[in-house]
Amino acid sequence: MIGRAKIALIIFLGLIISCTDDNGEPNDMDNANEFNPKLLKQTTAPGIGQSNYFYNDQNELILITKTNSRTLHDSTYLEYNDGILSRVLQRIYYPINRIVNIESIFTRFNATNASGTYKVSEDDGAILQDLTFEYTFSDNLIKTSTFFGLDGSKTLEKIYVHDENGNLTNWDQLWYRTDGSVHTERRYLFTEWDNSGLATKSLFYWTYNLNIFQNIYFSKNNCLNLINGDETLNYSFEYDSDGNVTEYNSIEAEGFMTLEYYE
């Protein structure tokens, strides 16, 4: 994730899957009055690619397949232990016949914390990255994402701040040097949110594999803008009668993504 989690300003992605309680057991989220979530089936973005989503009998996401112009095929496999996410393996097939494996193994996953190991390798066994990670959550909202070297030093930290309504207001990214000092800092601001009454509670923002987390969200309402320095990007969303996003639009980029769900 460290090398690949670069901001893609026109690519957003979200999932609606089961959540866990403090003991890591499935529970029902109190969202009956907000929207009727469906299982995401397919996302399509013209000129970017298509993703398809597959589930087991417990409605747990077990496979994501992607096709786009940059990689011929990209498959993500998810495994569970008693309903709790335990392993994620992404295999990226590059056009030059090179396969990169990105594996996350969760040693802890509950309503407030997810931690484990993260490894990037090639099929011949060559290791490209070997890290540990920790995510923190509060009220089903992500609060921090931190990656560490094997010596325990921070390499990347993301901090998410929300207002009293659970709307994401800013997102800070900090890259660290080996001596622990901050090498680079970047801040993204959000000042407008979709209050249509059909909010999915999921910010459609692509950040590698965060979307696999069980009912963890960036923001309680979809963000309508993103401020990066002196640049502001604006977005709009369309919903079905159950409140699920069917299309989002990246206005300045004149790009859009459509979303289909299982009935």
Side-chain angles (χ1 to χ4, degrees):
M1 175 181 278
I2 303 301
R4 298 180 56 81
K6 297 180 180 179
I7 302 303
L9 293 176
I10 63 172
I11 305 177
F12 290 75
L13 185 61
L15 294 178
I16 300 169
I17 45 185
S18 63
C19 68
T20 58
D21 63 17
D22 289 338
N23 296 317
E25 297 298 328
N27 67 65
D28 293 327
M29 189 173 178
D30 185 19
N31 60 4
N33 296 324
E34 297 175 358
F35 76 111
N36 179 27
K38 300 175 183 177
L39 296 177
L40 185 62
K41 180 178 182 179
Q42 179 176 289
T43 63
T44 304
I48 296 176
Q50 177 178 299
S51 296
N52 293 278
Y53 303 83
F54 303 90
Y55 304 81
N56 62 19
D57 293 340
Q58 288 74 47
N59 289 336
E60 296 168 339
L61 180 68
I62 58 174
L63 174 65
I64 306 171
T65 62
K66 299 179 183 179
T67 56
N68 58 49
S69 58
R70 184 177 59 85
T71 58
L72 294 178
H73 191 65
D74 181 348
S75 298
T76 300
Y77 304 88
L78 298 93
E79 298 177 6
Y80 300 83
N81 183 9
D82 292 330
I84 307 303
L85 185 65
S86 60
R87 179 175 180 261
V88 178
L89 174 63
Q90 183 181 31
R91 287 175 60 82
I92 302 175
Y93 298 77
Y94 288 98
I96 57 175
N97 297 321
R98 179 175 181 241
I99 299 175
V100 173
N101 301 289
I102 303 172
E103 182 182 48
S104 296
I105 296 177
F106 294 85
T107 56
R108 177 179 173 83
F109 197 142
N110 56 39
T112 60
N113 177 275
S115 56
T117 60
Y118 174 86
K119 184 176 294 186
V120 181
S121 63
E122 296 184 340
D123 266 4
D124 63 4
I127 297 177
L128 305 178
Q129 283 187 312
D130 199 353
L131 305 167
T132 63
F133 64 82
E134 180 176 18
Y135 289 84
T136 63
F137 316 117
S138 177
D139 297 326
N140 298 100
L141 294 171
I142 183 171
K143 291 299 182 179
T144 63
S145 168
T146 310
F147 281 74
F148 306 87
L150 295 183
D151 61 356
S153 61
K154 289 183 181 180
T155 60
L156 172 65
E157 183 176 28
K158 299 180 183 180
I159 302 170
Y160 304 86
V161 179
H162 303 85
D163 65 16
E164 64 277 7
N165 297 314
N167 295 317
L168 182 64
T169 60
N170 59 278
W171 168 4
D172 297 336
Q173 292 191 143
L174 305 173
W175 287 266
Y176 290 87
R177 299 185 179 91
T178 55
D179 64 2
S181 61
V182 175
H183 176 265
T184 306
E185 181 175 359
R186 182 179 296 164
R187 167 167 286 197
Y188 302 94
L189 301 175
F190 307 87
T191 61
E192 296 183 72
W193 305 272
D194 192 340
N195 296 312
S196 68
L198 294 176
T200 65
K201 299 181 68 174
S202 178
L203 171 65
F204 282 77
Y205 200 88
W206 183 88
T207 179
Y208 197 53
N209 67 0
L210 180 64
N211 57 293
I212 64 174
F213 285 166
Q214 298 177 319
N215 227 11
I216 299 299
Y217 303 94
F218 287 99
S219 180
K220 290 215 172 173
N221 290 292
N222 287 315
C223 297
L224 297 178
N225 65 357
L226 182 151
I227 303 171
N228 179 14
D230 58 0
E231 180 182 30
T232 299
L233 300 173
N234 297 283
Y235 307 93
S236 65
F237 299 84
E238 297 180 13
Y239 302 86
D240 64 16
S241 59
D242 294 313
N244 297 279
V245 172
T246 57
E247 181 175 312
Y248 83 86
N249 297 279
S250 179
I251 297 173
E252 283 77 13
E254 298 183 350
F256 68 95
M257 176 183 285
T258 58
L259 298 93
E260 300 178 28
Y261 300 86
Y262 291 96
E263 295 296 334

